[in-house]
Amino acid sequence: MPVTRTDKFGISAAITTPFTSTGAIDTDLLCKHAKSLIAKGCSSFTLGGTTGEGPHLSRDEKVAAHKALLASGIEPAQIVVGIIESALGDAIAAAKTADSFGSKYVLVTPPYYFKGSSDAGQITWFRQFLDAISDTRLQVILYHIPQVTAAPICPDMIAALIESHPAMIAGVKDSSGDWENAKTLLDRFADRHILIGDERILGAAIALGGSGAISGVANFAPDLLIPLLDGETPDQRLAPLVNALVELPVTPAVKALVGHITDSAQWSRVRAPLVELTQEQYEWITNTYDTLFATRND
């Protein structure tokens, strides 16, 4: 059965990370941005995920950012922690820190450095991780983003982890953009939070019982996503907006739009090996946004 509105996970912004001119995390701007997302209706934001350049942040930086967010008045449960680690010990340590700071959810990729790992090997890694954090209150969202990790989390793997750790697997974030895979997850795991990364299929997923999204677009247009939780028809601007984003390196493009909307060029900074958009790319994505949002949605 589809979950009811109050059962949904909601819209969690895959919060992007601002940097100072010296390359450090700008925690003041991060906290300001996080508060604005909550004020605009996001149920949470996800710290240190893909859009947040999590793999390019040191553990100390992520801990310091988390502390700053809490000190700014953000509620602990409003911070989902992204864990993108191949070393099991590092993943466990990150999870235990998240628990000590009061987070409820962690978003966890499989180990991804060695390509072509067997499903059995991935399951073993996850079970060792889950066993090690079984004394916490954490709920785990499995993160399926194979176009980045080259380490898919297939439905049978999910089923195996639910079988061994039924109280710890909260759900799955499917960022593959594969509608057939999303439908399979929605059908097989209707009692879990199935979260969608590709905003173009979010409305259809919600109609089949989807629980929400962890979304890059939510950094600058959460108002296009939140109404979908109540079954509203997708805004006609959403699909062309996402189509434009994926024509470019997505994280720099998201940061460019956040900066454009807030009139802050500081948001354009990224960490190597990512690079800022070229001037041509920047003008194209911002002009696309301006054209879309100058048109009333009838």
Side-chain angles (χ1 to χ4, degrees), residues 1-267:
M1 294 289 292
V3 291
T4 64
R5 175 67 176 84
T6 54
D7 290 334
K8 286 184 169 61
F9 180 87
I11 302 300
S12 182
I15 195 168
T16 191
T17 305
F19 299 113
T20 68
S21 59
T22 64
I25 296 176
D26 188 330
T27 52
D28 289 341
L29 187 54
L30 177 68
C31 292
K32 180 181 178 181
H33 184 46
K35 287 183 174 181
S36 75
L37 296 172
I38 298 299
K40 291 173 183 175
C42 291
S43 58
S44 65
F45 56 88
T46 300
L47 181 67
T50 304
T51 310
E53 300 175 71
H56 300 164
L57 307 178
S58 72
R59 184 181 175 206
D60 287 347
E61 286 180 309
K62 286 183 272 193
V63 168
H66 200 151
K67 286 181 176 179
L69 288 160
L70 293 173
S72 76
I74 300 289
E75 294 295 327
Q78 293 174 322
I79 306 175
V80 178
V81 174
I83 299 177
I84 305 175
E85 304 284 356
S86 282
L88 179 62
D90 289 346
I92 293 167
K96 287 185 176 286
T97 298
D99 179 63
S100 73
F101 288 165
S103 288
K104 179 179 180 180
Y105 294 108
V106 288
L107 174 69
V108 187
T109 62
Y112 55 87
Y113 181 78
F114 289 106
K115 309 308 179 189
S117 298
S118 67
D119 289 357
Q122 299 280 26
I123 290 169
T124 296
W125 188 94
F126 269 113
R127 284 179 171 162
Q128 290 173 347
F129 171 77
L130 293 164
D131 285 343
I133 66 167
S134 61
D135 59 343
T136 72
R137 300 157 295 177
L138 292 172
Q139 295 282 292
V140 175
I141 301 167
L142 304 172
Y143 190 7
H144 176 64
I145 184 168
Q147 68 273 31
V148 175
T149 62
I153 301 178
C154 70
D156 287 346
M157 286 175 58
I158 298 165
L161 295 173
I162 290 173
E163 180 180 14
S164 61
H165 295 80
M168 297 182 71
I169 304 299
V172 184
K173 180 191 178 186
D174 182 3
S175 289
S176 68
D178 181 342
W179 175 234
E180 292 303 316
N181 187 71
K183 287 195 295 183
T184 297
L185 298 181
L186 290 161
D187 180 58
R188 287 189 63 175
F189 308 110
D191 59 338
R192 311 284 158 165
H193 292 302
I194 303 304
L195 309 177
I196 302 299
D198 187 331
E199 297 88 353
R200 293 169 293 187
I201 60 174
L202 178 58
I206 294 290
L208 294 180
S211 193
I214 298 177
S215 161
V217 167
N219 277 284
F220 57 86
D223 54 304
L224 296 187
L225 308 176
I226 293 168
L228 300 178
L229 296 170
D230 293 316
E232 293 192 19
T233 301
D235 189 298
Q236 64 185 4
R237 299 168 293 187
L238 180 57
L241 175 61
V242 178
N243 288 341
L245 281 172
V246 299
E247 287 292 317
L248 300 173
V250 173
T251 293
V254 167
K255 297 184 92 168
L257 286 178
V258 173
H260 176 63
I261 293 164
T262 61
D263 195 26
S264 173
Q266 183 170 332
W267 278 105

Side-chain angles (χ1 to χ4, degrees), residues 220-221 223-224 235 237 241 288-296:
F220 57 86
D223 54 304
L224 296 187
D235 189 298
R237 299 168 293 187
L241 175 61
T288 298
Y289 174 88
D290 288 344
T291 299
L292 285 169
F293 286 82
T295 304
R296 186 168 65 89

